[in-house]
Amino acid sequence: MVLSLSYLILLPLLGSVLLLVLPDSNIRLIKRVGLSISLITFVYSLLFWICFDNSCTKFQFVEQIPWLSFSNINFYYGIDGISLLFLILTTFLVPSCLLVGWSSISKYQREYFVAFLVLEAFMLAVFCMLDVLLFFVFFESVLIPMFIIIGVWGSRQRKIRAAYQFFLYTLFGSVFMLLAILFIYFQTGTTDVQILYSTEWSTRRQILLFIAFFASFAVKIPMVPVHIWLPEAHVEAPTAGSVILAGILLKLGTYGLLRFSMPMFPEATAYFTPFIYTLSVIAIIYTSLTTLRQIDLKKIIAYSSVAHMNFVTIGMFSLNVQGIEGSILLMLSHGLVSSALFLCVGALYDRHHTRLVKYYGGLCSTMPIFSLIFLFFTLGNMSLPGTSSFVGEFLILVGAFQSNTSIATLAAIGMVLGAAYSIWLYNRVVFGNWKHIHNFTDLNRRELCLIAPFVIGVLWMGIYPEIFLDCMHSSVNNLISMTTK
Amino acid sequence: MFDQDFVAILPEIFLINASIILLMYGVFCRSRFIIRNIAWLGLLSIIVTLLLHVNNVCTTANLFYNNLILDNFTFYCKMFLLLSTASVILMCLDYFKQENVYAFESIILILFSTCSMLLMISAYDLITMYLAIELQSLCFYVIAASQRNSEFSTEAGLKYFLLGAFSSGILLFGCSLLYGFTGVTNYEELAKIMLSFSSSNTPGMLAVAILFIAVGFLFKITAVPFHMWAPDVYEGSPTYVTAFFSIAPKIAILANMLRIFVFSLYDPTWQQLFFFSSAASMIVGALAAMSQNKIKRLLAYSSIGHIGYICIGFCCGTLEGIASLLIALFIYICMTINVFAAILSLRKNTFKYIGDLGGLSRTNPVLAITLAITMFSYAGIPPLAGFCSKFYLFFAALGSGLGLLAFIGVVTSVISCFYYIRFVKIMYFDTAWILFEPMDREKSLILGITLLLILFFFLYPSPLFLITHQMALRLCF
């Protein structure tokens, strides 16, 4: 069997070990090897997409490797239509992260590549794992490399505070999930998701377990009262760290809800739907308004990420095909659009070493190519028809209208506000007069190559989303049948 | 009639003889630098003892009129004890040379106390148990105060002696009450007598006896209401002694506690006591360590916290509880060996504060990443070994209805993360302060092995889980 998920997970892991033993003197070699490993992983993950059977509702490429086999806990992994695209997104984003740090990272270069490859392996494992306990393990293990990435390669002194905040917020949320998982394991004697799907819990227990899971996922998504870590972490992280954070780590929470909370606790899902709707709507409107008064470029994009992720939760909890498919599509599209926006901001930061909006202006005459690309992704961020976000948000609104009209209406306000801050940000940065600009270099070839795939992805998903929707139809239908039984 | 018995305790006999021979060698061979020589020979004798122990023909027996016992449980505990003693000796070899320690007796005392701990693990009678504990404690009092020109060390020795003698007195009073009430001292007889009481009608006197014994033991393992001496002693004693204190006796005393409480005095009285002390240890360990600046004090509080986690397994009293206790103990020991090897390799007289680690990532990146990973593992972040121990402990706690304890454990583990990652912060983000010399080969060997265990334990944990399950089974049935 050539196509095996364990190879996919092991590839970056072994690659990072290989990087560790390469000679110290030859940093170019280390960079090239690291990049090629991540590209090979990407190509390899595409093979899974090609060989994926769209009509099958079961998990595919399933493998089981004993871990504590006498306690019924095993490395049990497989993918379905929902996780497939996240795998691809992960493997797609990591090479870009490595390329971003190609020349801008000056210290600990080897460790930079190692940290990202280890992170990639953990994230791939999260999306494949079909065992709740091991899902938790990898869900949490992302913390260590991410803590180091923010702390070591972050830009300012405040980064330590951000790294702490990121670490402790996430950990504090997650430990309750650990207790819930242990409780489940104690009650059922298994942590295998497919068995747990068919386990019936009493409504009371479902509610408690759902809360415990939600405490963890809500921090990661992030829902409104616990979203403070995100802008901090985003602002202080290096560009590549922000790309991974926005691109993948925010998806872990929503993915977890989709994979575990909803199908395992259907009654609690129904019970908590109004609660989550409310939180999400508050988050959408509140963070969109917050965005208007931010002066830090990265913070603006970070807050807009919060708004988008809360759109996703609204779509998921509408519990119909359009809503859920829209939310998955919006997650993917957000992974592309906001990552690309962070890349753009990173390019600006590399040139001018500031992220404050008031120092920028008139970039359209000094950096025309950049302005064009930034415009494209700004429009993508406000979900202009033709870009990927539009499809996602449209489907979400369609889904939400079917289940709760007033929530959908309120969420639609978020779109208006999104347009407001996106356009305003673009105006302030790109148009107007030159301010304090001494550096006139436009995007170089490496940066263009870096951004081009994102442009292609966004357009492709926006114009022809069929190919992405096709592979998730049956899985989503299966999910809905489990959640509304 | 003792033929078989003497064969069975061959490792202990060998170790005693070896230490006496080494003592004589040290006395007659008057050289200032004899200590490294003796240390190597001591290490050798520990290894030979280990070999003798592993290849012992007699694996399951009751010896000397039921005074000692050998079974699966003692087998693994002793093996682990010998391994950790060997690694402590290995890691302090360089210390002797650098710090100009000439008192070779400390090695002999380490050997003697190891021997007493071997006896303690297999003790099957209150008297044997007490004698073994006293032999071990006496050795410890002396080595705590072994650095006579340091005020800290003498003070630590004095404090340790006073409180240790006090706790032994309490323990002894508990034993005598137990003997006076039941008329037996043997564990097996005690177990039979305890069986005759159902859980509700344990006589008051017996409960008092159990209380005293439990308090005595809690003193020894530095659990919370009786932990006052630990930070001072840990800080004052020479670092290699601190390493030995925080590693070896934990195994022996916990093994003995398991034997006495789970096997012979199985009773709900002590469970509440341990419940309280476990919760308090976790809380104090997490909160008090937060404000520490000295590295050894911080590690002392962290070990108090870890004893709290380990005691969770004790409170359960179930098979999973005991197995999880042993797993947590083994992993804790492994991590502690790693930390102390790292700290011993940062040898500079001035090295005392955590802040002195600043910029270690630039001056010694490999050591920095090792220490960082161990700290993450202490904090219980997956996928490191520390996580495996914590998750199984919490599982056992939930399984026996101790949800509250699991909850406290979870919350305190998040709080304690704060100071564990402070290490990482200081090493990676602060500026360089002290330049340390490169470490010697022995310590890097220990660091490497334990780091590999911490990192990759997650991939294949089933052997340890199986072994501890076997041990727990042997203890309960």
Side-chain angles (χ1 to χ4, degrees), chain B residues 247-424:
Chain B
I247 293 165
K250 301 251 151 68
I251 306 170
I253 292 179
L254 276 166
N256 203 343
M257 274 171 84
L258 279 177
R259 176 80 70 188
I260 187 164
F261 285 107
V262 176
F263 175 69
S264 54
L265 301 178
Y266 193 77
D267 185 80
T269 330
W270 55 259
Q271 251 165 340
Q272 291 159 13
L273 195 72
F274 284 111
F275 182 95
F276 168 71
S277 124
S278 161
S281 302
M282 289 187 285
I283 293 168
V284 169
L287 295 181
M290 200 96 82
S291 60
Q292 302 300 327
N293 288 321
K294 291 180 182 162
I295 201 156
K296 271 155 60 181
R297 272 189 101 77
L298 190 139
L299 286 178
Y301 278 109
S302 129
S303 95
I304 290 170
H306 275 273
I307 283 296
Y309 292 115
I310 287 172
C311 279
I312 292 180
F314 210 78
C315 306
C316 307
T318 53
L319 212 56
E320 277 113 21
I322 296 162
S324 69
L325 184 154
L326 293 167
I327 291 168
L329 179 66
F330 288 173
I331 291 174
Y332 165 73
I333 297 292
C334 183
M335 294 188 296
T336 313
I337 290 175
N338 185 298
V339 169
F340 274 103
I343 287 171
L344 276 167
S345 65
L346 300 167
R347 43 160 208 270
K348 264 280 155 64
N349 274 324
T350 47
F351 176 64
K352 196 187 251 179
Y353 296 94
I354 308 176
D356 296 347
L357 284 173
L360 193 66
S361 63
R362 271 171 295 273
T363 54
N364 193 346
V366 180
L367 187 61
I369 192 78
T370 310
L371 207 50
I373 285 170
T374 316
M375 285 301 152
F376 278 123
S377 170
Y378 258 147
I381 307 295
L384 304 170
F387 169 75
C388 296
S389 75
K390 274 190 185 162
F391 106 79
Y392 206 57
L393 277 170
F394 296 150
F395 170 65
L398 284 179
S400 52
L402 299 174
L404 180 63
L405 214 49
F407 180 77
I408 295 175
V410 154
V411 172
T412 52
S413 80
V414 175
I415 298 173
S416 60
C417 256
F418 189 78
Y419 61 82
Y420 288 131
I421 57 175
R422 207 168 92 203
F423 273 88
V424 184

Side-chain angles (χ1 to χ4, degrees), chain A residues 67-68 70 108 133-134 136-137 140-141 144 151-152 160 164 167-168 171-172 175-176 179 182-183 185-186, chain B residues 361-362 376 381-383 387 391 394-395 398-399 407 410 414 417-418 422 425 429 458-459 461-462 465-466:
Chain A
W67 188 60
L68 283 180
F70 43 88
Y108 299 124
L133 186 70
L134 291 171
F136 174 82
V137 166
E140 279 292 88
S141 58
I144 300 177
V152 174
I160 297 164
Y164 259 71
F167 196 92
L168 293 175
L171 193 69
F172 193 73
V175 286
F176 294 105
L179 281 188
L182 291 179
F183 181 76
Y185 177 47
F186 170 65
Chain B
S361 63
R362 271 171 295 273
F376 278 123
I381 307 295
F387 169 75
F391 106 79
F394 296 150
F395 170 65
L398 284 179
F407 180 77
V410 154
V414 175
C417 256
F418 189 78
R422 207 168 92 203
K425 179 203 141 197
F429 312 145
F458 175 78
L459 288 181
S462 31
F465 277 74
L466 276 176

